[in-house]
Amino acid sequence: MLASCEYLPQELFECYSETCEIYPVDDDDVPSDIKEVDFDEHDFDIDGWGRWDMPSEDYYDTQQFPEAYTGYDGSDVWKFIHQRICFAGYEYDDDHWKADYNKAVSGLHSMISAQIVRGIQDRITTGEGFSEDEQKWNNPVIEFERRLGPRGETPLA
């Protein structure tokens, strides 16, 4: 979140979009048991990602900043996740934990897609409108069919 991924390099730039801005919660609002568990886990090394994704002292409230439509095109990120992090060669109905993992990732992708479609509808309902860059994603029905419909990008979700 705070640095470029070494497996999916991208240019780091300051984003000035207010639609996806989130802020850490006050330290006093974080339950002490969560901070204690996190502190105890700081000593282990995960893998090469550890160099870039070091633990921080910041906590974010996902209820305060839920998923929403931001206009960001995350297709390259999802393509990377499905092609490089998910397991190839496992069919949807295979009886294997790797197939289950792939289904969990697909479910997460679908849930986020549903939140985005809801966010598009929310913008229409409130009259907020869309920027010039967001014009290609301004119809919730079309986006639902493209993202979640039976002939869309993730039909098994």
Side-chain angles (χ1 to χ4, degrees), residues 54-127:
M54 297 306 290
S56 78
E57 301 301 320
D58 293 334
Y59 291 86
Y60 298 87
D61 184 347
T62 57
Q63 292 179 332
Q64 183 179 1
F65 300 103
E67 299 91 353
Y69 175 72
T70 64
Y72 173 75
D73 181 359
S75 59
D76 287 341
V77 174
W78 284 111
K79 184 177 176 183
F80 171 79
I81 290 170
H82 286 287
Q83 291 179 353
R84 299 285 304 273
I85 296 176
C86 289
F87 297 97
Y90 291 90
E91 297 298 321
Y92 188 82
D93 291 325
D94 285 353
D95 185 21
H96 196 280
W97 71 267
K98 291 180 179 181
D100 295 337
Y101 177 86
N102 291 350
K103 284 186 260 191
V105 170
S106 179
L108 177 66
H109 188 176
S110 298
M111 185 272 307
I112 291 171
S113 293
Q115 296 283 6
I116 291 168
V117 170
R118 186 195 68 196
I120 293 169
Q121 183 60 53
D122 288 349
R123 283 214 185 165
I124 293 169
T125 302
T126 62

Side-chain angles (χ1 to χ4, degrees), residues 123-150:
R123 283 214 185 165
I124 293 169
T125 302
T126 62
E128 185 178 342
F130 301 90
S131 72
E132 189 176 312
D133 292 336
E134 297 169 336
Q135 287 302 314
K136 62 182 171 183
W137 302 308
N138 65 4
N139 184 320
V141 174
I142 291 171
E143 283 306 301
F144 180 86
E145 285 299 320
R146 183 177 73 83
R147 295 168 185 264
L148 298 164

Side-chain angles (χ1 to χ4, degrees), residues 3-76:
S4 181
C5 168
E6 70 178 289
Y7 299 105
L8 184 66
Q10 49 189 300
E11 182 179 335
L12 290 178
F13 61 92
E14 184 75 22
C15 175
Y16 295 103
S17 172
E18 293 179 11
T19 61
C20 56
E21 217 167 12
I22 62 171
Y23 302 99
V25 297
D26 290 333
D27 194 49
D28 295 338
D29 294 338
V30 180
S32 59
D33 55 334
I34 290 176
K35 290 193 287 189
E36 185 177 314
V37 168
D38 287 349
F39 180 78
D40 290 341
E41 291 182 352
H42 274 232
D43 290 336
F44 68 87
D45 292 326
I46 298 176
D47 57 20
W49 290 65
R51 293 179 299 156
W52 303 100
D53 299 336
M54 297 306 290
S56 78
E57 301 301 320
D58 293 334
Y59 291 86
Y60 298 87
D61 184 347
T62 57
Q63 292 179 332
Q64 183 179 1
F65 300 103
E67 299 91 353
Y69 175 72
T70 64
Y72 173 75
D73 181 359
S75 59
D76 287 341

